[in-house]
Every structure is written in structure tokens, then in C-alpha cells.
Amino acid sequence: MKKLTINRRSFIKGMGFVAGSVAIGSYGSLVPNASAAGKGFVEKRQASVYNADAKVYKIRKSQDNPMVKKIYDHKDGFLHDGPCGHMSHRLLHTHYIDRSARVKNLKEKGFKFLI
């Protein structure tokens, strides 16, 4: 008897297909009012989350945070050259490194990636 092997990506694709077909198949049997009620629930939930955040968090924007202002202070701040300055760019930004050539070389040598 032949053994069936499946990798993780194929399994996830298959389960996504099954879940999608179940959701689409059951959509026709839903009552139209249920969709409207769900939308109303989502709107109420969003409003309650925003209201709760407004009560708990006094500082809602990073540019209003006193610690961030202190870091960027022009006199004695660590990143005194400003938010778009050389030091902040060097320390806080990432850079893309293309590694596709190395992966291609490894595949040519026979390495197999289980992704």
C-alpha cells in the first residue's frame, strides 16, 4: 500500500479550501436579518473598544508621548537631529537584503526547504 505524504503548506491550503467551502455553502441558508444584526454588533463592538481605549490610555498618539518627545529633544535628546535625522534613520530603520540568490544556490545543491 502506498503511503500518502503531505507537507504543511498543502495541508493549510486544503483546510482553507474546506473552511471556505463550508462558509460559502452555509451562507445561502442564513436569514438576511442575521447579516444586518451581525453588522450592527460589529459597529457596537468597535465603538466600545474605542471608548475603552480613550478612557484607559491618556496618550493615544506616539508623537504626543513625553518620552518620545524627550528622545527627540533638540538640546539633550539622544536623537537630537529630529525624527527624520541621520541617527534616527540609522538606528530605527531596517534595510532589505536580497537573499534569493543564496536560496537558489542551496536548492541547486539539493537542499529541500519545508516551508
Side-chain angles (χ1 to χ4, degrees), residues 79-95:
L79 301 173
H80 56 80
D81 53 353
C84 296
H86 176 71
M87 181 67 82
S88 62
H89 181 76
R90 192 178 69 134
L91 295 174
L92 303 175
H93 291 85
T94 59
H95 302 281

Side-chain angles (χ1 to χ4, degrees), residues 4 10 13 33 38 49 51 63 71 75 77 98 104 106:
L4 177 67
S10 298
K13 282 182 185 178
N33 292 338
V49 168
N51 290 336
Q63 64 264 26
I71 289 173
K75 292 181 182 176
D98 186 12
K104 183 179 176 185
L106 288 173

Side-chain angles (χ1 to χ4, degrees), residues 35-55:
S35 177
K39 186 177 179 184
F41 171 77
V42 170
E43 290 171 355
K44 288 178 184 176
R45 176 72 180 141
Q46 284 177 339
S48 67
V49 168
Y50 286 126
N51 290 336
D53 282 349
K55 290 176 185 175

Side-chain angles (χ1 to χ4, degrees), residues 12-104:
I12 292 172
K13 282 182 185 178
M15 290 301 104
F17 177 76
V18 169
S21 61
V22 168
I24 291 171
S26 64
Y27 181 74
S29 64
L30 290 175
V31 180
N33 292 338
S35 177
K39 186 177 179 184
F41 171 77
V42 170
E43 290 171 355
K44 288 178 184 176
R45 176 72 180 141
Q46 284 177 339
S48 67
V49 168
Y50 286 126
N51 290 336
D53 282 349
K55 290 176 185 175
V56 174
Y57 301 111
K58 294 179 175 117
I59 303 167
R60 298 196 47 172
K61 299 177 189 170
S62 60
Q63 64 264 26
D64 294 339
N65 189 326
M67 295 301 289
V68 172
K69 287 182 179 182
K70 187 174 181 177
I71 289 173
Y72 285 113
D73 187 21
H74 291 289
K75 292 181 182 176
D76 54 36
F78 181 68
L79 301 173
H80 56 80
D81 53 353
C84 296
H86 176 71
M87 181 67 82
S88 62
H89 181 76
R90 192 178 69 134
L91 295 174
L92 303 175
H93 291 85
T94 59
H95 302 281
Y96 174 74
I97 299 171
D98 186 12
R99 293 187 172 97
S100 60
R102 185 169 181 212
V103 171
K104 183 179 176 185

